[in-house]
Amino acid sequence: MSEDFESFFLENEEEGEGQDISQSEKEALLESLKVKSNQIFIPFDGLVKEVVHHVKQNYDFIISVNGNKGDGKSTLAYQFAKKADKHFNLARNFIYNGSDYSEFEGKIKNLPQYTPVVVDEAIESLYSQEWNTTLQRNLSKLFTTSRKQNKIVLLCMPFFTDLNAGFRNKLVDLWVQVLGRGVAVVFRRDENIFNADKWNFEFMQKLLSKRGKAGSRSRFLTTNILQNINYLRWNYPNFVGVTTFEQLSEEEEKNYLNFVNDTGKFEFDLYDGSVKTKELKQSLGRAVAWLYKSGADVKKLSEKLNLSVYSVRGLLKREGVDLRRKGKLEVWERAENYMKGGLE
C-alpha cells in the first residue's frame, strides 16, 4: 500500500536517471515557497545544526535519504556529514558496501560522539525483503542500543519503503526525499504513541486515492511542484519543509568516485541505451535470472558477481523475475562444480 504513496515522489526506476534542477529553477521555486507557502523553506545549514544540537542532548539520530539513482542522495549525505563534522573525510565518515557488520560496529562505537556516519547503498544491508538475516538483526540491535554513542547515521537507498517497517517506525527520525539534484523534502517521524504507522502511509494512501494520484508513476517534479508541496504541507502530518543543498566540487566528486571504486561494488548503468550495453544487459540479465531461479538470493548474487544490490534487482526486474521469494545459497556450490566439470 505504501508503494503508491512513494510513487507520488518517484518515477519507475527503469524509466530514467536523476533529474537536474537548474539554479534559476531552484531560485524560482524557493522564492515561490517563501512568498506563497509561509516560509516552509529550511536552510540546509539550519537543518544540520538542529540535528547536531539534538544528538548533543544525549540522543542518536537516523536519517533515511531516498530518491532515484543520480538524483543526489549521496551528495546530500556528503554535504550533511561535511558540515556536521569538522574532521570529515570519506574514509572516516562513509560506509559504501554495508555488508560488513564489523565496519558498522567500529564506526558507531569507536568514532567520537556526534560524528555523522553515511551508509551509501544502505540497501546492501537493510533491504526489507531480507529483514531476518543475521546482519540485519545485528544492525537493528546495534542501532537500538547505541544511543549513548550519540551518532548521526544517514542511510542512502532508492526507496524509503525498502527499509523494514519495524526499523522505519522505531529508529528512523527523519525521512529526506531528494526530488532532484539540489532539492529535497523533509519529513519527521510521528511521535503519537497511539499511532503504530509512524509515517502515516495508510492515511496518505487514502488521501491520494481520492486525489487520483494512487498508482500513478508520474514523477513529482514533472507536475506542479509547488502545488504538490503545498498539498503535503497541509495534509501530510509528517511534513517539515523543503531544503536545498550544493553539488560537489570537481575535486570532491573525483575523491568520492575513487572511494567508491576502491571500496564498493560495480553499479550497472541500467539506463545506457547503446547497442553493446543493451546486449550485455540482456545476456547478464538472463544469467542472473537463471542463478536466482536456481536458488541464489539477491545479496549472494551481489557478493559473487561484484554488482551492487540495486543493479542485481534492476537486472532481475528486466527479466520479469518475482523478487518476493527467498533463495537458497547452495546454488553456488552446484554452479561452481558445474564450471569445474566443464573446464576439466
Side-chain angles (χ1 to χ4, degrees), residues 21-35 41 182-183 244 246:
I21 299 178
S22 69
Q23 186 61 31
S24 60
E25 288 175 318
K26 189 188 302 184
E27 290 174 357
L29 167 63
L30 297 180
E31 189 61 31
S32 296
L33 289 171
K34 290 177 182 178
V35 173
F41 171 62
V183 178
T244 62
E246 297 299 321

Side-chain angles (χ1 to χ4, degrees), residues 125-128 130-131 133-140 164:
S125 51
L126 292 167
Y127 183 37
S128 61
E130 297 171 358
W131 64 270
T133 63
T134 300
L135 175 61
Q136 285 213 21
R137 290 197 300 271
N138 287 339
L139 286 175
S140 293
N164 172 263

Side-chain angles (χ1 to χ4, degrees), residues 107-300:
K107 289 189 183 296
I108 295 297
K109 291 186 175 181
N110 298 329
L111 284 172
Q113 284 180 302
Y114 322 130
T115 300
V117 177
V118 177
V119 186
D120 215 351
E121 298 298 330
I123 195 170
E124 298 274 356
S125 51
L126 292 167
Y127 183 37
S128 61
Q129 293 186 25
E130 297 171 358
W131 64 270
N132 201 31
T133 63
T134 300
L135 175 61
Q136 285 213 21
R137 290 197 300 271
N138 287 339
L139 286 175
S140 293
K141 183 177 180 180
L142 176 66
F143 288 131
T144 301
T145 59
S146 63
R147 194 190 79 174
K148 63 182 179 181
Q149 305 295 334
N150 308 134
K151 297 299 190 300
I152 303 167
V153 179
L154 297 98
L155 305 172
C156 300
M157 56 201 310
F159 292 93
F160 188 40
T161 48
D162 279 340
L163 283 172
N164 172 263
F167 190 97
R168 287 197 314 264
N169 287 327
K170 294 177 182 178
L171 297 175
V172 176
D173 298 285
L174 280 186
W175 167 19
V176 179
Q177 184 70 39
V178 179
L179 301 182
R181 297 185 182 114
V183 178
V185 183
V186 182
F187 309 99
R188 63 170 172 260
R189 185 179 62 219
D190 186 346
E191 297 298 340
N192 180 356
I193 62 173
F194 299 105
N195 185 6
D197 179 12
K198 297 299 184 182
W199 297 98
N200 291 292
F201 281 133
E202 292 190 13
F203 170 76
M204 283 303 295
Q205 177 63 34
K206 292 177 182 177
L207 285 183
L208 293 177
S209 295
K210 294 178 181 178
R211 193 171 184 245
K213 283 286 184 181
S216 169
R217 302 303 292 177
S218 61
R219 190 179 177 82
F220 189 54
L221 281 174
T222 58
T223 55
N224 188 320
I225 184 171
L226 181 59
Q227 179 182 337
N228 281 329
I229 288 173
N230 272 315
Y231 181 83
L232 290 173
R233 180 197 178 197
W234 295 113
N235 292 280
Y236 186 37
N238 303 70
F239 180 80
V240 177
V242 179
T243 192
T244 62
F245 55 96
E246 297 299 321
Q247 299 304 299
L248 302 183
S249 67
E250 288 186 13
E251 183 178 358
E252 288 174 328
E253 181 77 19
K254 181 180 178 180
N255 290 337
Y256 173 74
L257 292 175
N258 287 337
F259 172 78
V260 170
N261 290 333
D262 289 341
T263 62
K265 290 184 172 68
F266 176 70
E267 184 155 317
F268 204 85
D269 188 352
L270 298 172
Y271 310 111
D272 187 338
S274 65
V275 174
K276 286 186 177 180
T277 303
K278 186 176 181 180
E279 292 174 350
L280 177 59
K281 281 187 289 191
Q282 289 174 344
S283 299
L284 184 57
R286 285 194 293 268
V288 170
W290 179 85
L291 288 167
Y292 185 83
K293 290 175 181 177
S294 298
D297 63 14
V298 171
K299 191 172 292 294
K300 197 68 176 179

